[in-house]
């Protein structure tokens, strides 16, 4: 593959990921937000996997912020989640981007890497939820913090977070294999 082809592919991937985030972020403003879960966490993981430029997570975070502010300012969405805790989305998204980069260096085109991918997504999903929900619970000023309340907050949102993360990354894997059918072998063990 030539440098020009790789560059075009990266641009298309970035546009697709940005489009997916814009289409699913926020239930009242995004076109698919009523029907599909937010893909933001998966977008950051996939950006880490596919896109090497270090400015990419910053650009995606700026897009996420612009979407949120637009939804609040013009879309009639409540600003309830906009608080000092909003900054905790940086480590939430950053951890998934970093894990996507880490996994990309260990990924092999065979089924033997699926358990590692699952473990990385589980770790990333738990970390992101701890930063996002835990940060909101502790820093938003909307709750009287307690260990039980924090645990309840994490347990309430973690299953949905993991389902969305695994679902979107699974769909991306299917798309990847469809576009690159010769890049996988059926080996399950090493």
């Amino acid at each position: 593959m030539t440098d020009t082809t790789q560059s075009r592919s990266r641009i298309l991937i970035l546009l697709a990921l940005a489009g997916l985030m814009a289409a699913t972020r926020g239930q009242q403003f995004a076109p698919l937000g009523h029907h599909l879960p937010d893909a933001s966490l998966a977008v950051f993981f996939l950006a880490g996997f596919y896109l090497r430029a270090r400015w990419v997570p910053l650009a995606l975070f700026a897009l996420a912020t612009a979407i949120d502010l637009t939804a609040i300012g013009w879309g009639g969405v409540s600003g309830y989640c906009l608080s000092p805790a909003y900054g905790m989305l940086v480590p939430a998204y950053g951890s998934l981007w970093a894990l996507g980069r880490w996994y990309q260096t260990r990924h092999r085109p065979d089924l033997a890497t699926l358990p590692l991918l699952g473990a990385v997504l589980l770790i990333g999903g738990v970390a992101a939820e701890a930063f996002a929900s835990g940060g909101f619970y502790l820093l938003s000023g909307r709750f009287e913090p307690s260990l039980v309340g924090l645990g309840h907050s994490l347990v309430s949102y973690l299953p949905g977070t993991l389902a969305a993360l695994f679902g979107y990354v699974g769909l991306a894997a299917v798309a990847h294999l469809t576009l690159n059918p010769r890049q996988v072998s059926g080996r399950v063990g090493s």
Side-chain angles (χ1 to χ4, degrees), residues 50 107 109 111 171-184:
Y50 285 111
H107 172 75
L111 298 177
L171 289 172
V174 169
H176 181 94
L177 293 175
T178 301
L179 296 171
N180 303 291
R182 295 182 197 179
Q183 287 193 358
V184 71

Side-chain angles (χ1 to χ4, degrees), residues 2-170:
T2 67
D3 286 341
T4 303
T5 305
Q6 285 181 344
S7 180
R8 286 183 185 151
S9 294
R10 287 187 185 113
I11 289 169
L12 290 175
I13 289 168
L14 179 59
L15 291 174
L17 292 175
L20 179 61
M21 185 187 329
T24 61
R25 190 173 180 90
Q27 295 176 345
Q28 296 155 329
F29 187 69
L32 299 176
H34 291 291
H35 309 290
L36 296 174
D38 182 0
S40 297
L41 296 178
V43 163
F44 278 88
F45 178 82
L46 293 167
F49 182 83
Y50 285 111
L51 307 170
R52 293 189 179 138
R54 295 182 190 265
W55 59 264
V56 168
L58 299 173
L60 289 172
F61 187 76
L63 174 63
T65 302
I67 291 168
D68 292 347
L69 293 176
T70 302
I72 292 167
W74 293 294
V77 174
S78 166
Y80 181 80
C81 290
L82 201 58
S83 72
Y86 194 84
M88 292 304 289
L89 292 178
V90 173
Y93 295 150
S95 62
L96 280 163
W97 181 79
L99 283 169
R101 283 184 58 98
W102 182 86
Y103 176 73
Q104 194 277 332
T105 64
R106 286 147 183 85
H107 172 75
R108 300 291 171 260
D110 63 59
L111 298 177
T113 62
L114 286 180
L116 178 59
L117 175 59
V120 167
L121 290 176
L122 180 63
I123 290 166
V126 169
E129 192 60 45
F131 283 121
S133 286
F136 185 73
Y137 180 77
L138 295 172
L139 302 174
S140 70
R142 304 198 189 287
F143 304 96
E144 188 63 43
S146 72
L147 196 53
V148 172
L150 176 62
H152 182 267
S153 176
L154 294 174
V155 170
S156 295
Y157 294 104
L158 185 60
T161 295
L162 292 176
L165 180 60
F166 275 81
Y168 284 119
V169 172

